[in-house]
Amino acid sequence: MNRKHILFYLLILVFFSCAEKDYSAFPPTWYGFTYKVCSPPDYVYVSYPSYIQGNPIALSPGDSIHITAHQEQRGRYIYAADYNWTICFDTIDAESGEKKHVKENYPKPNQASYPRHTNYAYVNASDDPVCALWLPENALHTEEGKPDTIKFTAVYHYSTGYGKIYETGNIGVNTSVNGRIVPQSNSIDGGATGYIYFTVSN
């Protein structure tokens, strides 16, 4: 066997070795949310047990809420992630006195403790995303049967061009979490959208 034959077989071996490597990227799959509520005047976070799973969170005006979105499986080949949390509720406009629907986005500008943008590949950057939100003192009581919402969104930018394509992904089952998070993915990036519901009362 001459040198050309040896080189040819080596090239074939390298080709098939590379072909077997899976470079497909995908976003995390999810279980859902857990949360802790902090109420005045004590301002101590209280974790709520799993038996309220699936029910809206009971909040009062002035409460703050600390939420964690729990991943079932970490994503792969992600170089950057963008997270955003939006809390929606009704309040009274201070000038007109009319009812007003409010959407507040977190993290706020210059709020470094819950980064909107992070490098997912860094150590601890792929940890479960968290956010602390505050319900203002002038938040109105929730209408019966119409719970308010906290929306979580994530966008993941892949470091390869081989993203797995699916629309709903896999939903993990875990009775200790609340709400639902649904991942999406295409060839160049992925994401997730989740909702957790709450009611406002005294």
Side-chain angles (χ1 to χ4, degrees):
M1 183 180 292
N2 60 34
R3 182 179 295 178
K4 288 184 178 179
H5 287 112
I6 294 173
L7 181 60
F8 175 77
Y9 286 117
L10 284 174
L11 288 173
I12 291 178
L13 180 63
V14 169
F15 173 80
F16 282 106
S17 297
C18 293
E20 293 175 1
K21 177 73 173 178
D22 183 5
Y23 289 101
S24 58
F26 50 82
T29 53
W30 303 87
Y31 285 122
F33 305 98
T34 58
Y35 62 91
K36 297 183 290 185
V37 175
C38 178
S39 300
D42 299 328
Y43 292 105
V44 175
Y45 277 112
V46 177
S47 298
Y48 284 83
S50 60
Y51 64 77
I52 52 88
Q53 192 267 342
N55 295 324
I57 305 169
L59 297 178
S60 299
D63 283 355
S64 59
I65 179 170
H66 184 283
I67 304 178
T68 302
H70 292 276
Q71 299 170 85
E72 177 193 25
Q73 179 185 13
R74 298 295 193 268
R76 187 172 69 171
Y77 293 128
I78 295 170
Y79 73 86
D82 295 282
Y83 299 118
N84 194 67
W85 304 76
T86 305
I87 183 170
C88 302
F89 55 91
D90 291 327
T91 187
I92 293 292
D93 186 89
E95 295 181 2
S96 65
E98 296 180 355
K99 184 177 179 179
K100 181 181 178 181
H101 189 65
V102 177
K103 293 183 178 181
E104 290 196 357
N105 294 314
Y106 290 81
K108 300 288 188 182
N110 303 319
Q111 185 182 10
S113 57
Y114 302 103
R116 183 187 304 273
H117 183 82
T118 184
N119 188 322
Y120 192 86
Y122 283 173
V123 176
N124 298 326
S126 64
D127 288 351
D128 295 336
V130 298
C131 193
L133 306 95
W134 177 63
L135 187 65
E137 295 282 356
N138 62 345
L140 293 179
H141 290 194
T142 305
E143 294 182 29
E144 186 174 353
K146 297 180 180 180
D148 296 303
T149 61
I150 296 170
K151 181 181 180 181
F152 165 73
T153 57
V155 177
Y156 297 100
H157 307 280
Y158 297 152
S159 55
T160 72
Y162 304 99
K164 289 186 176 180
I165 299 175
Y166 54 82
E167 294 181 357
T168 58
N170 300 316
I171 308 299
V173 177
N174 187 330
T175 57
S176 67
V177 298
N178 199 304
R180 183 177 183 185
I181 306 172
V182 179
Q184 307 90 28
S185 178
N186 57 46
S187 61
I188 59 173
D189 56 30
T193 303
Y195 293 90
I196 189 167
Y197 301 95
F198 68 94
T199 59
V200 182
S201 60
N202 284 337

